[in-house]
């Protein structure tokens, strides 16, 4: 629920507020997975702070971010060779990721 959100210092930054909503909305829409693209690891760690009810797949080109995410609550990394730059490339990465997660029974 809102326990961690209720005890987080206010005011939150805009980014933290948005990512808190991602974790909370995963419950509301009965999501099976959260996918986040990140080169720094900041966004996925902020999502993890609010203890999402589903796995968070972090798509990154960074070995360091991939390692850090694998040690954080709910985060799982997916390393890619290059950042997708077109909507088609993003769709292809997400489709591959969903298929992989489905096969590993990570999401309903």
């Amino acid at each position: 629920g809102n326990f961690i959100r209720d005890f987080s210092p206010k005011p939150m930054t805009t980014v933290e507020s948005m990512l808190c909503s991602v974790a909370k909305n995963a419950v509301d829409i009965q999501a099976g997975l959260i996918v986040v693209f990140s080169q720094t690891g900041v966004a996925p760690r902020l999502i993890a702070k609010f203890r999402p009810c589903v796995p968070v797949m972090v798509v990154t080109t960074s070995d360091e971010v991939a390692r850090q995410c694998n040690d954080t609550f709910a985060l799982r990394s997916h390393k890619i060779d290059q950042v997708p730059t077109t909507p088609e490339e993003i769709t292809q990465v997400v489709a591959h990721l969903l298929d992989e997660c489905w096969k590993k029974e990570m999401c309903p």
Side-chain angles (χ1 to χ4, degrees):
N2 289 327
F3 180 80
I4 293 173
R5 185 179 185 282
D6 291 343
F7 288 93
S8 293
K10 307 289 188 295
M12 289 182 186
T13 65
T14 302
V15 171
E16 187 173 10
S17 176
M18 180 183 71
L19 296 172
C20 171
S21 293
V22 168
K24 187 175 178 186
N25 287 340
V27 173
D28 295 341
I29 66 168
Q30 298 179 341
L33 184 71
I34 297 170
V35 177
V36 60
F37 287 76
S38 180
Q39 292 303 104
T40 64
V42 173
R45 284 193 298 273
L46 284 172
I47 294 171
K49 172 183 176 180
F50 296 100
R51 301 295 193 247
C53 61
V54 296
V56 179
M57 292 301 301
V58 182
V59 181
T60 186
T61 60
S62 167
D63 289 326
E64 182 179 357
V65 169
R67 279 191 305 274
Q68 290 172 350
C69 288
N70 287 333
D71 292 335
T72 304
F73 178 86
L75 303 184
R76 301 289 179 268
S77 65
H78 180 79
K79 181 115 173 13
I80 56 176
D81 294 329
Q82 62 185 27
V83 176
T85 57
T86 66
E88 293 80 16
E89 289 174 345
I90 294 169
T91 300
Q92 185 178 22
V93 170
V94 172
H96 171 76
L97 188 59
L98 290 173
D99 185 53
E100 185 177 296
C101 290
W102 181 262
K103 288 177 183 173
K104 292 180 180 179
E105 297 181 357
M106 291 179 62
C107 58

